[in-house]
């Protein structure tokens, strides 16, 4: 592979290589399995260019902004020695980034529509807005709690599996008691929380915190927060479905 000195150009090439397997799979299945020509080739080519540029700019944004912010704030809170403020920041970070996540807003609105059609809630617009808002903030609160718990784990040095295993056992048990209509939404909510904003900030927070605390390894202790962020929404949403 030829050597590229310009960092931006190097990242563009890296983005192309990252996306190349996706394009190859689509190309093979479209031409050899479905045996159909690729439609709107010009539009797809233009869209691909924008995707490559967007991915490149996103990665640069992570490296220049989100990762340094998360690591520096975690380091500053750790040096300050204020555990309550650190936990408050962790909860606020998880809650704020999740509440503003577009994917979660879309899922909550669709869940409200399905709930109204299925007779779970009234079919009025106000009832659907109230249901969607409650679902959205329930997920946001669950992610905030997950990040708080993950930060506390790093501080106390608790093994990750001590929390993950009971959490998934709880998910399985609650699945038997939660309303059928909410189970799928609960499982999907664990996915929409791993957004393009939440993941980089939370990962940087964990790595920065583990780096700042003596005796912690950023590789083994700094990761795992996203696992909590995907787990707790399933529990909270099923509980929300039981209550509502």
């Amino acid at each position: 592979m030829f050597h590229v000195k310009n960092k931006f150009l190097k990242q563009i090439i890296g983005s192309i290589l990252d996306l190349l397997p996706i394009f190859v799979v689509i190309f093979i299945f479209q031409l050899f399995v479905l045996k159909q020509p690729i439609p709107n080739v010009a539009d797809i080519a233009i869209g691909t260019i924008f995707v490559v540029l967007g991915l490149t700019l996103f990665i640069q944004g992570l490296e220049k902004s989100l990762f340094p912010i998360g690591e520096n704030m975690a380091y500053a809170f750790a040096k300050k020695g204020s555990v309550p403020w650190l936990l408050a920041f962790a909860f606020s970070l998880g809650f704020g980034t999740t509440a503003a996540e577009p994917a979660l807003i879309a899922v909550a609105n669709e869940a409200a529509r399905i709930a109204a059609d299925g007779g779970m809630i009234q079919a009025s617009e106000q009832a659907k807005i109230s249901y969607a808002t409650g679902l959205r903030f329930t997920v946001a609160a669950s992610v905030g709690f997950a990040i708080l718990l993950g930060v506390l784990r790093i501080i106390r040095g608790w093994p990750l599996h001590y929390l993950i295993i009971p959490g998934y056992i709880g998910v399985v048990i609650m699945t038997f008691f939660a309303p059928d209509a909410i189970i799928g939404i609960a499982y999907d909510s664990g996915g929409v929380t791993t957004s393009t904003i939440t993941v980089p900030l939370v990962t940087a927070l964990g790595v920065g915190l583990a780096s700042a605390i003596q005796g912690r390894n950023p590789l083994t202790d700094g990761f795992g927060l996203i696992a909590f962020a995907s787990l707790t929404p399933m529990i909270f949403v099923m509980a929300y479905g039981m209550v509502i």
Side-chain angles (χ1 to χ4, degrees), residues 187-201:
Y187 277 68
D188 284 344
S189 67
V192 298
T193 55
T194 53
S195 68
T196 53
I197 301 299
T198 305
V199 171
L201 273 174

Side-chain angles (χ1 to χ4, degrees), residues 128-205:
K128 288 190 283 187
I129 293 174
S130 177
Y131 184 88
T133 302
L135 183 62
R136 176 184 164 196
F137 284 107
T138 296
V139 175
S142 71
V143 175
F145 174 76
I147 306 307
L148 183 152
L149 186 62
V151 167
L152 191 60
R153 179 194 72 84
I154 295 175
I155 295 174
R156 300 299 185 190
W158 298 333
L160 182 62
H161 59 275
Y162 282 12
L163 300 175
I164 292 293
I165 294 175
Y168 276 104
I169 291 175
V171 168
V172 173
I173 293 173
M174 293 185 71
T175 302
F176 291 101
F177 299 98
D180 292 339
I182 204 70
I183 293 175
I185 299 171
Y187 277 68
D188 284 344
S189 67
V192 298
T193 55
T194 53
S195 68
T196 53
I197 301 299
T198 305
V199 171
L201 273 174
V202 169
T203 302
L205 174 67

Side-chain angles (χ1 to χ4, degrees), residues 48-61:
T48 300
I49 293 173
F50 281 118
V51 169
V52 170
L53 288 175
L55 181 60
T56 302
L57 293 173
F58 175 66
I59 293 174
Q60 280 207 334

Side-chain angles (χ1 to χ4, degrees), residues 61-240:
L62 294 183
E63 294 178 351
K64 294 182 180 297
S65 177
L66 292 184
F67 279 129
I69 287 175
E71 291 185 13
N72 290 337
M73 293 195 73
Y75 188 82
F77 274 118
K79 290 302 179 184
K80 187 178 178 64
S82 177
V83 174
W85 277 113
L86 177 58
L87 296 179
F89 170 70
F91 179 86
S92 301
L93 179 69
F95 183 91
T97 55
T98 305
E101 169 58 31
L104 176 59
I105 296 173
V107 168
N109 290 336
E110 184 65 14
R113 185 186 67 80
I114 298 299
D117 293 342
M120 291 178 59
I121 60 174
Q122 295 180 359
S124 66
E125 195 65 29
Q126 185 60 39
K128 288 190 283 187
I129 293 174
S130 177
Y131 184 88
T133 302
L135 183 62
R136 176 184 164 196
F137 284 107
T138 296
V139 175
S142 71
V143 175
F145 174 76
I147 306 307
L148 183 152
L149 186 62
V151 167
L152 191 60
R153 179 194 72 84
I154 295 175
I155 295 174
R156 300 299 185 190
W158 298 333
L160 182 62
H161 59 275
Y162 282 12
L163 300 175
I164 292 293
I165 294 175
Y168 276 104
I169 291 175
V171 168
V172 173
I173 293 173
M174 293 185 71
T175 302
F176 291 101
F177 299 98
D180 292 339
I182 204 70
I183 293 175
I185 299 171
Y187 277 68
D188 284 344
S189 67
V192 298
T193 55
T194 53
S195 68
T196 53
I197 301 299
T198 305
V199 171
L201 273 174
V202 169
T203 302
L205 174 67
V207 172
L209 185 61
S211 301
I213 299 177
Q214 187 175 4
R216 298 289 180 268
N217 187 330
L219 183 61
T220 57
D221 298 316
F223 293 89
L225 295 180
I226 302 302
F228 292 128
S230 299
L231 171 62
T232 54
M234 292 187 277
I235 297 174
F236 276 55
V237 171
M238 281 193 280
Y240 177 78

